[in-house]
Amino acid sequence: MPLKPITVRTCEAIARGEAGLPALPENGQTSALFDYEDPMGARWAVFPVFRQGEDGRLTGLGTAFALDPWGALMSAHHVFAEMERWVPLAAAAVEAGPAGAPRYTMEAPADRGFRVLLGVGLVFGRPRVPEGGLAPITRYAWLGLPGDDPLAALRGEPDVRPLDLVMMEARIHAERRLECLPLRRSPVGPRPGETVLAIGFPEISAFEGDRAEAVVVGARMKAAYGEVVALYLEGRGGVRGTPIFEVQADWPGGMSGGPVLNLRGEVVGVVSRSIAAANGGELGTGVATWIEPLHQHLSAYAPTLHPDDPLARLAPCIHSGDDIAGLFRDEASARAEAERLGADYAVSQCIVRADAVGFPQLFAARP
């Protein structure tokens, strides 16, 4: 069956009217796993993630992708399991979530540097990390399900099993804006027989080195096509409780946390893990966290996501009547600025899209 190529465009590229280029293997590579250069597209929305040691050296962890322009990222929970060895689960802030799934929020420890390498284009030679290019992850949140560990109480820990999905906040420079991919929350997700495309950084799983070396490995973005073969609402195996879909595909370890896109270029899943092919075959089984059944949970994960429009985001803005005075990452910052400006200013939640030159454009304000 001939390959149906997928064109990956960020929300901002779509708003700018850019046609984009289909993701296709070149130079004798196959669609199972190939170099994905795309210097003006997905590289501004999909990023490698590292842990930075006290000596400044970096260890590769996996892949993450931007949920909004202001630093919210999504990845797979197991990519960041190491953080929970440093921050006790009992110390996490717990909030009630939809359908009885509590949300756990952890502040990233300052001395254990989790970093995301932002917007690396094509690299030649030994480059420098651009100013603000290695952004610290300051917080991460995940949803828990009832666990089955009888010893958890004896250890003084909640008995929970996380969904293999995590939302993070990265501290980016005030003048910097990320680009983000369209995300399909509903109503139609992947179905058996459909072609999907996963994007990530497989070489990062074995990486340890300095910043310049990290830029080189961070430039080696890969893409992999596959065919959806099955869907499991309750998960199975190592991801019990997490809705998943399985794909006939090759997804090496460093791609964990990367986006899985449908034929429209919309994110419908997150790379969770991969099972190698039997008998040395080219394609094994890729497992992706399935976003569609988590529709009601996503507002807890990522409040800036629009519930219906894959291209739009939500954000607090301050305004005086119809005059918009500013757009903010969080409501607390917006209210502080509105108070500084005076009683004529109020805070509303706005629908945000990117305009033709890449700056946020406010289309509507919600009461």
Side-chain angles (χ1 to χ4, degrees):
M1 185 172 66
L3 176 69
K4 298 179 181 178
I6 293 174
T7 298
V8 182
R9 295 187 296 164
T10 64
C11 298
E12 291 74 14
I14 293 170
R16 291 191 294 262
E18 297 174 7
L21 297 173
L24 288 170
E26 297 179 349
N27 302 320
Q29 295 180 319
T30 73
S31 61
L33 187 69
F34 58 96
D35 295 331
Y36 185 47
E37 296 184 345
D38 187 30
M40 300 305 292
R43 289 187 179 277
W44 306 108
V46 184
F47 314 114
V49 181
F50 302 88
R51 175 175 54 81
Q52 181 172 297
E54 294 180 358
D55 60 356
R57 291 181 66 79
L58 299 165
T59 300
L61 294 178
T63 302
F65 59 97
L67 290 176
D68 65 32
W70 309 292
L73 307 168
M74 184 169 279
S75 186
H77 175 272
H78 74 269
V79 171
F80 293 88
E82 184 176 6
M83 186 182 291
E84 290 166 32
R85 294 204 292 267
W86 302 325
V87 182
L89 185 57
V94 184
E95 302 174 54
R103 182 179 68 167
Y104 293 82
T105 302
M106 295 183 173
E107 303 293 328
D111 61 339
R112 309 288 185 177
F114 289 85
R115 303 286 188 267
V116 58
L117 183 60
L118 303 176
V120 175
L122 301 182
V123 168
F124 303 93
R126 185 176 171 85
R128 295 171 59 92
V129 176
E131 182 68 23
L134 203 58
I137 294 169
T138 58
R139 178 180 300 160
Y140 88 138
W142 50 273
L143 295 181
L145 300 169
D148 53 8
D149 182 359
L151 301 180
L154 295 177
R155 297 194 302 267
E157 299 175 354
D159 185 14
V160 294
R161 184 174 65 249
L163 294 175
D164 197 18
L165 197 66
V166 63
M167 193 281 286
M168 303 164 291
E169 293 180 11
R171 187 170 66 242
I172 62 176
H173 283 192
E175 68 278 5
R176 185 162 193 160
R177 291 291 181 267
L178 307 181
E179 297 200 4
C180 47
L181 299 171
L183 189 142
R184 171 58 63 184
R185 294 178 61 163
S186 66
V188 180
R191 296 295 180 262
E194 290 186 5
T195 297
V196 293
L197 178 74
I199 301 174
F201 299 89
E203 295 181 29
I204 200 175
S205 61
F207 174 79
E208 184 172 352
D210 61 24
R211 290 187 171 208
E213 292 166 333
V215 172
V216 173
V217 76
R220 295 173 185 157
M221 178 182 280
K222 303 281 187 178
Y225 281 100
E227 181 179 309
V228 177
V229 294
L231 302 98
Y232 299 93
L233 272 171
E234 301 298 327
R236 69 171 184 160
V239 283
R240 287 182 302 112
T242 299
I244 61 170
F245 57 91
E246 292 184 348
V247 181
Q248 186 180 23
D250 175 26
W251 293 346
M255 295 182 76
S256 288
V260 182
L261 301 101
N262 62 15
L263 285 170
R264 293 181 295 275
E266 300 165 334
V267 179
V268 293
V270 178
V271 175
S272 179
R273 59 199 67 212
S274 188
I275 303 168
N279 303 319
E282 181 182 30
L283 298 178
T285 301
V287 179
T289 298
W290 180 14
I291 287 178
E292 182 186 358
L294 298 174
H295 175 78
Q296 61 179 330
H297 296 291
L298 286 180
S299 293
Y301 268 118
T304 58
L305 290 178
H306 192 283
D308 303 309
D309 186 347
L311 300 177
R313 298 298 183 263
L314 304 175
C317 63
I318 59 174
H319 59 97
S320 177
D322 293 333
D323 180 22
I324 302 296
L327 182 70
F328 293 81
R329 176 175 177 172
D330 57 77
E331 185 174 344
S333 300
R335 293 200 177 280
E337 181 64 10
E339 186 174 324
R340 187 187 71 82
L341 292 174
D344 291 340
Y345 289 86
V347 176
S348 294
Q349 191 177 54
C350 298
I351 299 174
V352 183
R353 282 177 173 247
D355 68 12
V357 294
F359 293 101
Q361 180 179 359
L362 305 179
F363 283 80
R366 290 160 51 136

